[in-house]
Amino acid sequence: MSFPLLTATAALPALGAVLTAAVPAARHTAAKWLALVFSLATLGLAALVAVRFDPGGARYQLTESHAWIADFGVRYELGVDGIGVALIALTALLIPFVILAGWHDADPDQQSNRRWRPTQGFFALILAVEAMVILSFEATDVFLFYILFEAMLIPMYFLIGGFGDRAHSGSDENAAAQRSYAAVKFLLYNLVGGLIMLAAVIGLYVVAGNFSLTEIAEARAAGDLTMATNTERWLFLGFFFAFAVKAPLWPLHTWLPNAMGEATAPVAVLITAVVDKVGTFAMLRFCLQLFPEASKWATPVIVVLALVSIIYGALLAVGQRDIKRLVAYASISHFGFIILGIFAMTSQGQSGATLYMVNHGISTAVLMLVAGFLITRRGSRLIADYGGVQKVAPILAGTFLIGGLATLSLPGLAPFVSEFLVLVGTFARYPAAGIVATVGIVLAALYVLVLYQRTMTGPVKPEVRSLPDLKARELAVVAPLIALLVLLGVFPKPLTEIVDPAVRHTMSDVQQQDPRPEVEAAK
Amino acid sequence: MENLIALLVAAPLLGAAVLLCGGRRLDRYGHLLGTVLAAASFVIGAVLFFDMLGRGAEERALYQTLFAWVPVEGFQANIAFQLDQLSMTFVLLISGVGTLIHVYSIGYMEHDERRRRFFGYLNLFLAAMLLLVLADNYLLLYFGWEGVGLASYLLIGFWQHKPSAATAAKKAFLVNRVGDIGLSIAIMLMFTTFGTFTFGPVFQELDGAGEGTLNAIALMLLLAACGKSAQVPLQSWLGDAMEGPTPVSALIHAATMVTAGVYLITRSGAIFNAAPDAQLVVVVVGAVTLLFGAIVGCAKDDIKKALAGSTMSQIGYMVLAAGLGPIGYVFAIMHLVTHGFFKAGLFLGAGSVMHAMNDEVDMRKYGGLRKYMPVTFVTFGLGYLAIIGFPGLSGFWSKDKIIEAAFAKGGAEGWILGAVTLLGAGITAYYMTRVMLMTFFGEKRWQPAPAADAATDVEPSADHHPGELPHPHESPKSMTVPMIVLAFGSVFAGALFSFNSSFVHWLEPVTRFEHGHPPVGAAVITTATVVVLLIGAGIAYAQYGRKPVPVTAPRGSLLTRAARRDLLQDDFNHVVLVRGGEHLTRSLVYLDHSLVDGVVNGTAASVGGLSGRLRKLQNGFARSYALSMFGGTAVLIAATLLMRGV
């Protein structure tokens, strides 16, 4: 038996979480370093997964399969395709930066109880989330995926509710109440989604007799397993609802601004750049593969909802007064693009959507983490409390601008490539939808540049006059991410190479072909 | 030889990267490094140019493919360059004028503590602009297109501590983004029609596409061109862009970037030729902008804004010419190049005047400067004669050809367009004579410099002495030499291009050329042009030369007042877009909180049987999870039973 690389990639951060949690209370700095080392080692394993993955090879690679709950046919079954590899790489890449950015976010108070270990808890929870997210990208057993999909809510709940943003306009109690509200809202939305999915998972078992994604998909393709049209549609909706809550799709999005606003910036990045990607990833992997006919049936409605998300999210971002909530609404707009790309059912749309997941993760991380550094310095999340920051902290302002330019999809930075692919892929199938989505690029420029103008330019506000520029640790967080944005913006080939074959498989699952160019079709 | 093409872009790109990431230790040499790399780009361009001259007219294009940029199933975009005569013309203009303006900026920005960064942005601009004109496909062109937009944004807002500069920068970017929608959709349409957006293959496959599709593509390209080239209805950003340092106005907002729209139309000539309806819209846009810009230029007292109105108007000429098809493309580009010389020269002259006058921009507070700034006066004067089309100078040759081509359009259209271009020539002579007289002639109307404005946190420059009358002086060599070089171009370039129709022969293999046949003789048109020019200049002399110029502007007619406010463009935008948009976003924010959130929460709460317990759930995680698990089990059993039944 070969080395279980996929299991190891998920087990390593899990082990790191346990060890970090076990560090004695007084040694909280050691806990940080331990977590960082484990996250870097996980990044190494993820890199190994990417290297070992052969783009020209089988659809699922590095597979592992063990009996788990034999009575119900539940297996511990893992395997990755190109889309999984890309998202595992993104997750493993972002976590060290999240840890580094949150280095002081959970330092214990001087007066507090010595036995309470916030630092250990904070970093252990981050690693726990990483482990579960990575395993969910690897799981090819529907039940295993479901368990992870639900279980990752628990550490996320504690990260949001237990470690809030210290910059808050209200009193401490008020802040705690809002934080608690945000955490519960996050949990409830996702639990309700998860429960509906659970019903669909059970339903799938009743119909198919097992939980194996590969087996069910093969049986469906071979015609050995047929589903009544209505059954397939109900099951599809059950899965899709859960993923649309997590992604999140309008109108199920309202938990995100609360959660991202109240959480610390690194945790907000964890939510939007990492955990939410499980939702869009699962749409591609489970909805399209298990229920191809129902997916096509639901496409018109989903395309419209995605368009609403794009425009609505962007307009709401324009109207925000809170920096972090602005980024949250921008993310809702971007998730609209991802979902649009998936359901456009073209190669360009789906490749673009996958790239978008990766690129949005990196660009939001830059914007949100720099916003976090700024907010920590000034102690306020309100845009109106800033002004002229570029004069006193030019590097901070510069990196913030680059994060913003990536968010508005400037060519040369990674998000442009994915956004344009989504637009082109959508336009090829639904020209009107493509044109409406294109309006999003103007709105993105509006909310990014207004945010930059109000916070960074103009006369220096007295309260920001003494803000220090980025420190070495903070620069170490953003500089590599910015370098990656440029690299993937100019040379995205390494990523498209591994994603493309997976998209081809998905396209054949849903039995779709790209529309042919007009001049070719005419011949 | 083709391997040199990438270096054209790489040299300034390297400069931008080093200067912007290099930190303070580069402050002492940064400007020199930036200038040397801009010059390097020009030298490489010159080498390629002479190499190109050595080959036959049809074998001059060079191609270089670096690597696959976005290789996705069914979608190919390469980082690949195409250097033909059209690109070559732009390469020399961009890197040539660019280098001169780098040199000028060494002196102009001497006292600015962020001079290194300024040169980094200038280098970034050159790299993006060269990428724009060298790309062999529309997606890569789009890369350069937005790149110059970014550089323009950074440079307009270079003095970010001024709220007006920051606002102007944002406005420029946003208006351009509206145009970019056009470019995006055009590329998407090409992709769905031809399966590619590389120049060569698209132009070859045009026959297979319907005229409706081609019209749509052409109109979308025009929308993009309107944004970048400040043509009506996307013109409103250019006047505000004058908030940027003057070398920026000269390079980006006069000589090069704003002409990118003309490049786009000319480059896509094959598409426009097959889309006559779209071509008609192009000439209309050009004609309207030509008059719009000229009228605005007449009313402005700010020297840079007057010149900005003039730039809009002159680009209107170019767009109009490009809309005429093969009888106009060559002259559009020829006017673009000569305009690059004289308008850059005029802006540098304006910068030199401002430098001498405590950064004052109001021409009503100038006057009599010719004695104090002889070099600036002579070079500016030559630029002035060139732009109004004084016989023999550059602008005369290129503008006259456009007027002829407009008449040659034929029919009533030809007469209308010809009349508009003639009228434009008269107004040009009027507003430029006005600028010339108010600045260099007449009485001194100098005012003491205003005190440094503490509220805006502007640090006074070394030349800025609050409360004192200005002491005008000639600018340093680094500033006057570029002005002299550009003045040479303003005087001789037109004649050189027209000698033996050399410019026509040069561009013909790329843009194609047909002789236009105006309904009246060329000599008649030329005479009419000169007469109109004299009338325009004469009226200006009567108003501003014979009579003293008041320091505060008179109230003026309704048209004058409207023109001062840029023909109410911003008032319109403010009422329709800004106010409307604010109301929309505010109500959406409210609705998102009260309606969407409320409905979804309410539905979830009642469906889950959790109504009324939401608040209690906040008390503890354990309780909520237990309750949810209970609910989940119920759903689970129900689902199992239901599925059995199916």
Side-chain angles (χ1 to χ4, degrees), chain A residues 150 154 157-158 177 180-181 184-185 187-189 191-192 195-196 198-200 202-203 206-207 228 231 234-235 250-255 257-258 312 315-316 318-320 325 329 347-348 351 355 390-391 394-395 401 405 408-412 416-417 420-421 423-424 427-428 434-435 438-439 441-442 444-446 449-450 452-453 456-460 465 489-493 496-497 500 504 514 516-520 522-523, chain B residues 24 67-75 79 113-114 117 139 142-144 146-147 150 153-154 158-163 166-170 173-174 177-178 180-185 187-189 191-197 205-210 213 455-457 459 581-582 584-586 588-593 596-597 600-601 604 610 614 617-621 624-625 628-629 631-633 635-636 639-640 643-644 646:
Chain A
E150 289 288 74
I154 300 166
Y157 171 81
F158 284 114
S180 162
Y181 174 71
V184 170
K185 195 170 174 184
L187 192 67
L188 275 183
Y189 268 70
L191 271 179
V192 169
L195 286 176
I196 292 174
L198 177 60
I202 306 290
V206 171
V207 174
T231 314
W234 281 110
L235 292 179
W250 187 90
L252 305 170
H253 63 277
T254 53
W255 64 269
N258 286 87
Y312 188 88
L315 285 173
L316 264 289
V318 175
Q320 293 306 310
R325 288 178 68 93
Y329 278 104
S347 306
Q348 300 86 39
S351 292
L355 257 57
Q390 63 86 24
K391 188 103 180 163
I395 300 174
L401 181 61
L405 293 173
L408 63 77
S409 296
L410 190 85
F416 170 73
V417 174
F420 199 81
L421 282 173
L423 288 174
V424 145
F427 186 84
I435 290 171
T438 309
V439 175
I441 70 171
V442 177
L446 186 60
L449 295 185
V450 168
Y452 183 80
Q453 185 188 355
M456 300 297 172
T457 72
V460 183
R465 204 171 283 277
V490 180
F491 193 63
K493 197 170 159 205
T496 60
E497 255 175 6
D500 239 18
R504 266 200 293 277
D514 290 328
R516 289 169 64 203
E518 203 180 288
V519 288
E520 237 174 74
K523 276 175 192 167
Chain B
R24 297 253 157 80
F67 54 85
W69 180 20
V70 189
V72 169
E73 180 86 11
F75 183 97
I79 304 275
E113 55 172 350
R114 290 156 74 233
R117 196 192 280 221
L139 198 68
Y142 190 18
F143 189 165
E146 289 251 307
L150 171 67
Y153 169 79
L154 293 169
F158 186 72
W159 290 315
Q160 293 187 333
H161 46 78
K162 285 163 67 184
T167 305
K170 181 189 68 184
F173 197 96
L174 284 176
R177 268 263 155 153
V178 175
D180 292 347
I181 290 182
L183 193 49
S184 294
I185 294 177
I187 297 174
M188 293 191 253
L189 269 169
F191 179 73
T192 54
T193 311
F194 308 108
T196 175
F197 35 77
E205 295 280 350
L206 287 176
D207 295 340
T213 313
T456 54
D457 204 43
E459 274 132 43
E582 275 171 3
L584 178 67
T585 52
R586 265 189 218 143
L588 279 181
V589 170
Y590 174 75
L591 283 181
D592 193 57
H593 188 69
V596 181
D597 205 14
V600 176
N601 279 347
L610 305 173
L614 200 64
L617 282 177
Q618 290 179 29
N619 295 340
F621 164 79
S624 74
Y625 201 68
S628 312
M629 278 305 200
T633 318
V635 176
L636 193 153
T640 317
M643 287 301 163
R644 283 263 163 76
V646 173

